[in-house]
Amino acid sequence: MPSEGLTPNIETYNTILQGFFDTGRHVEAREFFKEKMMVNKDLKLDIVTCNTVLDGLFKNRFMDEAMSFFHLMQSSGLPPHIYTYSILIDGLCKNGNFGMAKNIFDSLPSKDLSPDVKTFTMMIQGFCQEGLLDEANELFVEMEANDCMPNDVTYNTLIRGCFHNEKYNEASVLIDQMRARSFSEDASTTSVLLDLLVSKEHDPAIIALRKKYLT
């Protein structure tokens, strides 16, 4: 672009950076960020840049580097954004650090940040993965009480959590609620349910689910 008399702006750099991460080229992404973006004094990094790097590091399992980068973001004076914290919570949960994720989630009000549906859903998934179904259900109720309505991803996440923790009756109630709101089971939920219909075909709760699901 410079050879054509054009100067790439931050949006151009962010797009290239995202492209590297999206195609699994995390080495090139990190090199591009450090060697092309950070050293460019004419380039003002924005929150999109930082979120892209943070998300890419977590998704490629560079948790220590991701946390260091997050602390750098904090010290640089970038204003906190719920999307950044959603990336952080999701990355910690998926990398086996649910305790830290919960602490960060609980600290959001002190930062004048309100969890959105994505943040709530990530925490519900974290509780489910830890086998903490009561806490997951409590958070599900809390999000509605805070005028944050669950979406299809939230419902499917909690339903799968119930399946994996053998809470079939609770799953059945949630399926009724979900369908009443015009949502439906996604591919992952359907796959788990079909597996249960085969592996636990004599379980009364599964028989009831079969009748409900196939009608």
Side-chain angles (χ1 to χ4, degrees):
M1 293 181 70
S3 63
E4 300 171 356
L6 301 174
T7 302
N9 58 18
I10 187 61
E11 287 80 9
T12 307
Y13 279 97
N14 287 342
T15 300
I16 295 172
L17 183 65
Q18 184 72 63
F20 279 132
F21 278 122
D22 285 348
T23 55
R25 299 164 64 184
H26 61 84
V27 174
E28 291 97 324
R30 290 150 78 200
E31 289 177 351
F32 181 79
F33 177 68
K34 293 176 182 177
E35 298 175 10
K36 298 293 185 181
M37 299 181 73
M38 290 189 72
V39 299
N40 189 338
K41 295 181 180 179
D42 296 324
L43 195 66
K44 184 175 176 58
L45 305 184
D46 60 13
I47 191 65
V48 176
T49 312
C50 296
N51 286 340
T52 300
V53 174
L54 188 66
D55 189 47
L57 291 173
F58 271 123
K59 285 181 176 176
N60 287 279
R61 307 189 71 82
F62 295 105
M63 196 168 88
D64 290 342
E65 191 172 342
M67 290 306 300
S68 295
F69 185 75
F70 174 71
H71 294 314
L72 179 64
M73 288 174 64
Q74 289 182 305
S75 63
S76 69
L78 278 171
H81 192 283
I82 190 59
Y83 185 68
T84 304
Y85 281 91
S86 294
I87 292 171
L88 183 63
I89 289 167
D90 185 48
L92 289 169
C93 285
K94 290 180 177 176
N95 282 278
N97 205 327
F98 176 73
M100 185 181 293
K102 185 178 183 302
N103 288 338
I104 290 171
F105 179 82
D106 291 340
S107 74
L108 291 177
S110 68
K111 298 176 173 60
D112 293 324
L113 293 173
S114 299
D116 59 14
V117 63
K118 184 175 182 179
T119 318
F120 272 114
T121 300
M122 289 170 177
M123 281 305 301
I124 288 171
Q125 183 175 28
F127 278 125
C128 290
Q129 289 172 342
E130 295 294 315
L132 302 171
L133 261 294
D134 288 342
E135 289 83 349
N137 279 303
E138 288 173 6
L139 192 58
F140 183 79
V141 172
E142 179 185 326
M143 68 183 293
E144 290 205 61
N146 283 283
D147 296 322
C148 183
M149 300 304 293
N151 60 18
D152 59 328
V153 179
T154 314
Y155 272 105
N156 278 283
T157 297
L158 188 52
I159 290 167
R160 286 196 299 274
C162 290
F163 284 156
H164 288 308
N165 289 277
E166 300 184 349
K167 302 292 184 179
Y168 306 128
N169 291 329
E170 288 89 336
S172 180
V173 171
L174 285 167
I175 289 174
D176 285 341
Q177 292 179 6
M178 178 174 68
R179 290 179 172 182
R181 293 185 173 182
S182 300
F183 298 134
S184 61
E185 298 85 352
D186 63 18
S188 296
T189 300
T190 301
S191 177
V192 173
L193 180 53
L194 291 176
D195 286 344
L196 287 171
L197 294 178
V198 174
S199 63
K200 296 182 179 290
E201 59 179 331
H202 301 299
D203 187 312
I206 297 300
I207 293 172
L209 273 173
R210 181 190 295 118
K211 292 178 180 178
K212 176 176 294 187
Y213 185 73
L214 295 179
T215 56

